[in-house]
Amino acid sequence: MCQQQLVELHSNLDQLDGIDAKKYIISKDKPEHQLELYTQLEEYFGESLPFVSDENLELIEHMEMKNEDTAYRGYALIDGNGALVFNTINDFWGEQADKTVEEIKEELEKLK
């Protein structure tokens, strides 16, 4: 998991306020490492998105973001029934928060 992208994302968390969806950070990292990152982000920014450990890459594979024994960087949307709506592989999703949020909002609109 790229910590720089997490910092960029958390610097722009307010942009996610208008998105009516549950938001998680999913990675292959072990829960104890994720807890450490979560705590650091929460202390620095006053909040953090929850982390989900996917050590076996099952959810990541379901989101079609598996890259051999790791995950691509990016984001995805899964509907309430567990179906993949879309995914975007993008190493710079955190730095490009405006574009990321815009695409998520557009895809959510299509579900209405």
Side-chain angles (χ1 to χ4, degrees):
M1 177 179 330
C2 180
Q3 290 185 13
Q4 178 61 33
Q5 294 301 326
L6 289 176
V7 169
E8 292 291 338
L9 171 67
H10 282 78
S11 296
N12 295 292
L13 274 183
D14 60 321
Q15 292 186 39
L16 298 175
D17 289 346
I19 296 178
D20 185 23
K22 294 181 181 177
K23 302 151 199 86
Y24 303 95
I25 298 168
I26 303 167
S27 79
K28 183 180 174 181
D29 294 337
K30 294 187 178 299
E32 51 274 10
H33 183 237
Q34 290 180 341
L35 178 59
E36 183 180 322
L37 287 172
Y38 176 90
T39 302
Q40 291 172 355
L41 290 165
E42 189 174 47
E43 287 175 359
Y44 188 80
F45 291 103
E47 63 181 325
S48 179
L49 294 177
F51 283 72
V52 173
S53 179
D54 186 17
E55 292 182 70
N56 296 322
L57 301 172
E58 293 170 10
L59 182 56
I60 291 167
E61 184 170 13
H62 175 70
M63 295 185 310
E64 299 175 5
M65 298 187 74
K66 185 175 177 183
N67 181 16
E68 297 184 26
D69 64 342
T70 189
Y72 288 110
R73 292 187 186 111
Y75 48 95
L77 178 64
I78 297 173
D79 70 14
N81 296 318
L84 178 65
V85 175
F86 86 101
N87 70 357
T88 297
I89 296 169
N90 179 351
D91 283 343
F92 304 103
W93 55 267
E95 294 169 18
Q96 300 169 351
D98 292 346
K99 178 184 171 198
T100 299
V101 170
E102 183 177 321
E103 182 177 19
I104 292 169
K105 287 180 177 179
E106 287 173 5
E107 293 295 333
L108 278 170
E109 277 298 311
K110 291 178 187 177
L111 294 176
K112 292 182 180 180

